[in-house]
Amino acid sequence: MRTREQEVEPLINLSEITEVELLILKRMREFTIGEHSSMFHGTGFDFVGLRDWQAGDRFENIDWPQSSLTNFSPLVVREFEQPTTSSVIMIADRSASTRCGATGKSDDRGTQIATLIARAIATVGMSAVFFQDSIGLITFDEGFRELGAVRPRIGKGQVIHCLEAYQHGHGLQDIRNIGSLSATLTGFSRKTSMMPVISDFLFDDAPELLTELRQVDNVHDVFIMLVDASFAFELPKVSAGWVQLYDVDAGRTRMTSRRELARQSERVQAWQNEIARQAKDNDLDVVRLSLDQVKFDVALVEWVAERRLRRRK
């Protein structure tokens, strides 16, 4: 019997993650040979405990004697940790609107905004695996009412765990709000971390969020990954003169004219251009992520590599 979650297609599957991994190995090779100093730190791997098996874990890490005590359901794996000088904590938009975005074009039919966010998580996460950095995740919803987190760990299995947590909410721990969003995010990690914020920023209080992130940037390395969402608003033509729209995040409806409906993609693009401008005014770097998969991956991998090198100087 298949559960409802098993029937839902993953936002990014294992074969796509493998493609990202191969691209990273190809593009990052230049940073580990020649005149570049080593990117890797630490004295080895330390045993830190046992946990349930997760998709992506190596089979050689399975503790078979311990697993036999649970009748192999679930399998138990030995967890190791490597001392590292860096961690990457991705802050990802998980609001309801990110699950929208199907268009009528044959090349991107069924694509959701969340699919692009998930691909960014996979690319940044696998880049961190290459550099042997720990990977963590913070998710937020509309209005930042609920914050969930996956604590930083090392390894490809952790990237897959973060992707499942982003899509289904599995393994997300509630983050206690300690007064303000900036203080909450700053206090999540005890050491300076790279914090990419991945979102379409299609919410009313986006400018206030940028102000909060500027304060977080005083402690951590914060930058914006702005997902181009205009494709999701290239809506089909309608014959009706007036159309009722429903905001899935705010839970409210409003009437709009057919002319205004046709301009939704243009308005979204203008809003995101303004967000990019305001982010730069707040001294936050911005990388824009488009629907073009090749440009998306290459731009993101090179950005992360450049950012990583900058932090070492």
Side-chain angles (χ1 to χ4, degrees):
M1 179 178 178
R2 293 172 62 86
T3 66
R4 184 175 180 180
E5 286 186 353
Q6 288 175 323
E7 293 174 353
V8 175
E9 289 293 326
L11 293 170
I12 178 171
N13 58 43
L14 289 176
S15 64
E16 291 174 307
I17 294 174
T18 301
E19 290 177 6
V20 170
E21 184 178 17
L22 292 175
L23 173 66
I24 289 170
L25 290 174
K26 180 179 179 181
R27 305 290 295 192
M28 297 295 195
R29 187 177 302 168
E30 61 181 277
F31 297 107
T32 57
I33 61 176
E35 298 179 356
H36 293 286
S37 58
S38 174
M39 303 292 288
F40 308 120
H41 304 272
T43 57
F45 292 90
D46 300 322
F47 175 73
V48 294
L50 302 172
R51 62 170 173 80
D52 293 348
W53 183 86
Q54 298 171 355
D57 286 336
R58 296 178 179 274
F59 283 101
E60 55 264 33
N61 289 340
I62 295 176
D63 189 320
W64 294 106
Q66 190 69 30
S67 297
S68 66
L69 299 178
T70 61
N71 199 25
F72 305 100
S73 180
L75 291 172
V76 177
V77 298
R78 296 183 295 271
E79 189 167 29
F80 299 89
E81 186 175 73
Q82 182 184 30
T84 176
T85 59
S86 302
S87 64
V88 178
I89 299 174
M90 298 169 284
I91 305 174
D93 186 350
R94 198 168 177 263
S95 56
S97 62
T98 62
R99 266 51 181 182
C100 303
T103 73
K105 295 183 178 180
S106 59
D107 58 342
D108 58 18
R109 181 174 299 149
T111 301
Q112 300 176 9
I113 297 171
T115 302
L116 302 185
I117 296 176
R119 193 167 187 92
I121 291 173
T123 305
V124 175
M126 293 308 299
S127 297
V129 170
F130 179 86
F131 291 123
Q132 297 180 4
D133 292 337
S134 57
I135 309 124
L137 176 71
I138 296 176
T139 63
F140 63 90
D141 64 353
E142 171 67 18
F144 299 89
R145 292 183 298 270
E146 295 182 5
L147 296 174
V150 174
R151 290 287 174 181
R153 296 183 186 277
I154 294 175
K156 182 178 178 180
Q158 174 73 352
V159 178
I160 295 174
H161 178 46
C162 287
L163 288 169
E164 291 182 344
Y166 174 72
Q167 181 167 3
H168 301 298
H170 291 165
L172 285 175
Q173 302 175 1
D174 291 335
I175 301 180
R176 186 171 62 89
N177 193 318
I178 57 177
S180 69
L181 179 62
S182 58
T184 301
L185 295 178
T186 300
F188 180 75
S189 178
R190 290 175 294 178
K191 60 182 179 181
T192 300
S193 303
M194 179 187 291
M195 286 190 171
V197 182
I198 314 168
S199 174
D200 55 17
F201 288 86
L202 297 182
F203 39 87
D204 294 337
D205 50 357
E208 289 75 12
L209 171 61
L210 295 175
T211 302
E212 295 274 4
L213 292 176
R214 181 177 184 175
Q215 298 180 43
V216 179
D217 192 48
N218 292 327
V219 178
H220 300 287
D221 180 19
V222 178
F223 58 94
I224 305 300
M225 291 186 171
L226 182 57
V227 177
D228 178 13
S230 59
F231 76 93
F233 294 85
E234 294 175 357
L235 305 174
K237 294 181 179 180
V238 296
S239 57
W242 292 90
V243 180
Q244 186 177 50
L245 300 180
Y246 177 71
D247 187 332
V248 295
D249 284 328
R252 58 176 181 261
T253 61
R254 70 181 181 90
M255 297 296 295
T256 187
S257 67
R258 178 172 57 187
R259 178 179 298 179
E260 284 299 311
L261 182 68
R263 295 184 59 245
Q264 287 299 309
S265 178
E266 179 184 337
R267 293 179 62 187
V268 166
Q269 191 172 37
W271 171 265
Q272 292 191 315
N273 289 340
E274 176 62 17
I275 290 297
R277 185 193 67 78
Q278 292 186 29
K280 292 178 181 178
D281 288 345
N282 282 281
D283 295 324
L284 298 172
D285 290 337
V286 179
V287 56
R288 303 191 69 156
L289 306 177
S290 68
L291 198 61
D292 188 311
Q293 183 172 313
V294 175
K295 291 182 179 179
F296 182 107
D297 291 337
V298 172
L300 194 49
V301 168
E302 293 184 350
W303 175 272
V304 172
E306 185 273 336
R307 200 81 184 186
R308 183 66 162 73
L309 286 174
R310 186 190 306 179
R311 294 172 63 200
R312 296 176 62 241
K313 295 179 180 179

